[in-house]
Amino acid sequence: QSVDKNGVTILEKIEEVERQMLNVFTLVSVVAPCNKISAPENPHSGQQTSAEWVRIVFHDTITKNIEGPGLGGLDASVGFEADRPENVGAFINVTLGQFTQFSSIFLSMSDLIGIGLSDSLATCDQPLARRIPLRVGRMDATGPGPAGVPGPTDSLAFAQAAFTKAGFTNSEMIQAVACGHSLGGVHHENFPDIVPDPNDPENLFGRSPFDSTPDVFDNTGVQEYLTRTGLKGGPLVVGPEATRTDFLIFNSDDNATITAMSTPSSFENTCLTIFQKMMDNVPAGTVLSDPVTVRPWILRESHLDLLASGGVTFSGTISGHSTPAPPATANYFYGTVGGGNTGQKTVQQSFVYPNRPNGGDPEDTLIGFGTIVDYEFNDTLSSPSITSINIMSSYTAPVNLNIFILPSQSFSNPVNGQRQSIIRVAVLGTLATTGTTMSLRIWSPNRQPGSVVPTFVNQNITMSFLRTQGDYKIYQAVALTGDGAPGSTTVQANLGTTQASVKVQTGSLKPCTSAIPTTC
Ligand code: HEM
């Protein structure tokens, strides 16, 4: 299986996306409900998070091929382009800033832009909460791409040339604009020549919406444009003569394309297809996965650990999702060497989402997976020959008792803008013979000049023997990681070149209270 520059496989990325999407406290919590404002300190700014997450896709993807065939596209290069006049507004740094806390070696910023689009559309499409088919594997640019995002003062010919160059037909351009401009609007703050200052303390940035339902992803704008009712297509249709780009674009084929997407279902089907095309408009050479289907049952989080007695524990969270809701209890068993198992176990549900579908609170927004149920388990493993966990006869994951990171004995502290991590690892004593080399690979987020998006750098550290605990030998490494950039650090322990632990994200490690780290 091929790996990327961080040694991560496409299957690892897919699994991480599934975990993100079923964890309602991650990205989706930032965008739900659809009218959530991205500047909490300024609730009357009209900066609608869901709209910003959609707009950024256009600004990133549309400059593909300008610099040469196959160059650019959806690659998070917008992170380096936030100050350009064509990107006026705070949306790029605000949006990427919201995404950075979830970035890791498993999720590039450009894949996060895709999850963000998928979350945004689902959140704004209640109660269906449909999602774009989401592929993963996008690679982030390491510098800015060319300028060339069409704006409201550009001619129709300029917009057509940009879309054609990026790989979109005239019809697709019309669809993309009509779909994007279902959410949000034009802000006086960004475009004072298009939208007059409303002098309204309830609308501080002077947002003039594109349609009467700016926080619903629907065909209202198309209907209002075609029937000249409501907002009649919004400020880029009926605003000042010099900036009627939406009118010029919609009218460029005598309204044939926009008429064909005027019913609720034709609008949604068309939009999900065109948004997927925009997301998959990636630099040549990028290998994208098949569309990710979040499996009905997954092991959302899990970790092995050691008791003081030397016994091994395995705990974590199983997540299931379905309509109607998954059962109140979930079953699983541990597989053993040779194909046997240790018997069925049952675990009670610990968290149900949403509790009151469409109750109006963020936590009641449907996000496209029916009801999500979490089940927290915590087992002391009875047999050293366990090799896997099998959940609801539907999902199997390996359990590697040979070598594993020890969360209860590992720590992470902020030190002078960096993090000091003390990572301890258990290796089965029979494997750690004389001459064993234990090493720890650490991938941590670092700042990149010119963009809020972190880049991941890795280091490989030799681990030292600490003590024996039961059947295991404990090794440890102390490392300074990252430079304070947001994002998640990942570690993996290696025994020579023969055994490797699973990769573990260190975000939830507790701080060490001892002055001498190795004695924590
Ligand atoms: C030639 C094509 C386009 C032009 C000239 C254009 C122009 C604009 C302008 C002037 C704004 C106002 C921004 C602000 O004041 O904050 C805007 C907002 C927006 N655009 Fe476009 N746009 C185009 C295509 C698209 C496409 C293809 C999408 C879809 C991905 C899109 C999605 C959005 C969204 C969601 C907003 C609302 C942002 C917010 O409320 O914060 N636009 N567009």
Side-chain angles (χ1 to χ4, degrees):
Q1 230 190 94
S2 67
V3 294
D4 71 6
K5 71 175 170 53
N6 292 315
V8 179
T9 67
I10 205 89
L11 289 180
E12 288 176 301
K13 293 179 190 190
I14 290 172
E15 190 139 39
E16 180 68 12
V17 167
E18 292 180 73
R19 290 176 174 152
Q20 277 274 328
M21 300 233 255
L22 284 194
N23 184 348
V24 296
F25 298 104
T26 57
L27 210 54
V28 77
S29 68
V30 182
V31 74
C34 183
N35 63 356
K36 192 176 233 173
I37 297 299
S38 63
E41 71 288 356
N42 197 350
H44 301 300
S45 64
Q47 292 174 285
Q48 185 179 316
T49 307
S50 56
E52 294 177 329
W53 290 15
V54 173
R55 187 176 175 218
I56 201 167
V57 173
F58 168 53
H59 285 244
D60 200 13
T61 205
I62 200 62
T63 51
K64 184 168 177 183
N65 299 326
I66 291 181
E67 237 170 21
L71 295 178
L74 211 300
D75 59 3
S77 60
V78 277
F80 297 96
E81 302 160 4
D83 292 340
R84 289 182 181 166
E86 66 192 31
N87 293 327
V88 63
F91 74 112
I92 290 181
N93 282 343
V94 168
T95 298
L96 297 181
Q98 288 165 324
F99 292 170
T100 49
Q101 55 182 312
F102 303 106
S103 70
S104 66
I105 52 167
F106 304 102
L107 290 177
S108 65
M109 185 51 67
S110 28
D111 278 343
L112 278 163
I113 292 175
I115 302 175
L117 177 67
S118 177
D119 282 345
S120 166
L121 297 179
T123 298
C124 297
D125 175 32
Q126 298 295 305
L128 294 178
R130 286 179 66 185
R131 286 180 169 269
I132 53 163
L134 183 64
R135 300 170 194 271
V136 298
R138 290 170 197 79
M139 310 291 271
D140 292 345
T142 52
V149 179
T153 52
D154 290 319
S155 66
L156 174 63
F158 184 91
Q160 285 171 322
F163 274 90
T164 304
K165 192 150 218 175
F168 296 88
T169 64
N170 195 69
S171 262
E172 288 173 332
M173 170 182 72
I174 297 167
Q175 293 167 349
V177 176
C179 295
H181 291 176
S182 166
L183 296 174
V186 181
H187 299 79
H188 166 78
E189 170 107 346
N190 300 333
F191 292 95
D193 295 339
I194 301 181
V195 175
D197 187 349
N199 286 316
D200 178 359
E202 299 284 302
N203 186 7
L204 275 182
F205 288 7
R207 185 186 74 172
S208 174
F210 290 118
D211 71 16
S212 303
T213 57
D215 52 14
V216 183
F217 176 54
D218 68 358
N219 65 335
T220 300
V222 172
Q223 282 292 343
E224 292 184 343
Y225 165 76
L226 286 172
T227 59
R228 297 194 58 77
T229 54
L231 301 184
K232 299 178 181 162
L236 301 182
V237 171
V238 293
E241 189 91 39
T243 50
R244 293 191 176 163
T245 26
D246 280 12
F247 172 72
L248 296 176
I249 288 171
F250 297 161
N251 202 38
S252 65
D253 65 357
D254 292 329
N255 294 322
T257 299
I258 198 152
T259 304
M261 57 190 291
S262 59
T263 65
S265 62
S266 63
F267 177 84
E268 272 205 4
N269 292 337
T270 305
C271 293
L272 293 186
T273 305
I274 196 66
F275 277 134
Q276 184 185 358
K277 178 161 179 176
M278 293 173 84
M279 274 316 306
D280 294 351
N281 192 36
V282 290
T286 311
V287 180
L288 292 180
S289 70
D290 288 337
V292 177
T293 307
V294 180
R295 286 166 277 188
W297 293 94
I298 62 168
L299 185 58
R300 218 193 66 218
E301 186 277 324
S302 65
H303 49 268
L304 290 157
D305 215 331
L306 274 185
L307 298 169
S309 61
V312 181
T313 61
F314 189 56
S315 51
T317 305
I318 293 167
S319 288
H321 71 99
S322 57
T323 307
T329 57
N331 301 324
Y332 62 100
F333 62 78
Y334 291 104
T336 50
V337 175
N341 71 72
T342 59
Q344 182 170 295
K345 290 177 165 290
T346 300
V347 63
Q348 297 290 326
Q349 67 184 30
S350 47
F351 176 75
V352 180
Y353 179 95
N355 263 317
R356 299 166 298 157
N358 297 310
D361 289 339
E363 63 271 23
D364 299 324
T365 305
L366 285 160
I367 59 168
F369 301 112
T371 304
I372 300 171
V373 179
D374 288 347
Y375 310 80
E376 276 171 34
F377 66 94
N378 186 352
D379 295 321
T380 300
L381 298 188
S382 52
S383 160
S385 61
I386 285 171
T387 54
S388 65
I389 180 168
N390 179 305
I391 298 164
M392 295 296 278
S393 303
S394 150
Y395 174 100
T396 307
V399 177
N400 182 357
L401 295 185
N402 290 345
I403 175 168
F404 49 91
I405 311 286
L406 291 169
S408 66
Q409 299 188 39
S410 297
F411 307 88
S412 181
N413 290 3
V415 174
N416 298 333
Q418 292 191 281
R419 291 208 79 82
Q420 182 178 59
S421 298
I422 298 103
I423 306 292
R424 300 211 174 111
V425 171
V427 186
L428 206 53
T430 48
L431 296 170
T433 48
T434 324
T436 296
T437 334
M438 278 291 298
S439 62
L440 187 73
R441 187 162 294 280
I442 307 173
W443 296 264
S444 45
N446 280 254
R447 296 185 197 288
Q448 297 191 86
S451 174
V452 298
V453 176
T455 184
F456 285 83
V457 294
N458 77 76
Q459 47 184 315
N460 203 29
I461 294 183
T462 302
M463 305 192 83
S464 49
F465 175 73
L466 181 66
R467 61 171 166 263
T468 297
Q469 193 169 334
D471 292 338
Y472 287 88
K473 288 189 174 159
I474 314 296
Y475 288 79
Q476 74 175 356
V478 181
L480 276 177
T481 60
D483 60 359
S488 173
T489 293
T490 299
V491 295
Q492 181 180 38
N494 289 284
L495 171 65
T497 53
T498 55
Q499 303 268 346
S501 73
V502 292
K503 298 184 181 104
V504 171
Q505 298 187 46
T506 61
S508 55
L509 294 184
K510 56 190 175 301
C512 166
T513 47
S514 161
I516 307 163
T518 48
T519 60
C520 282

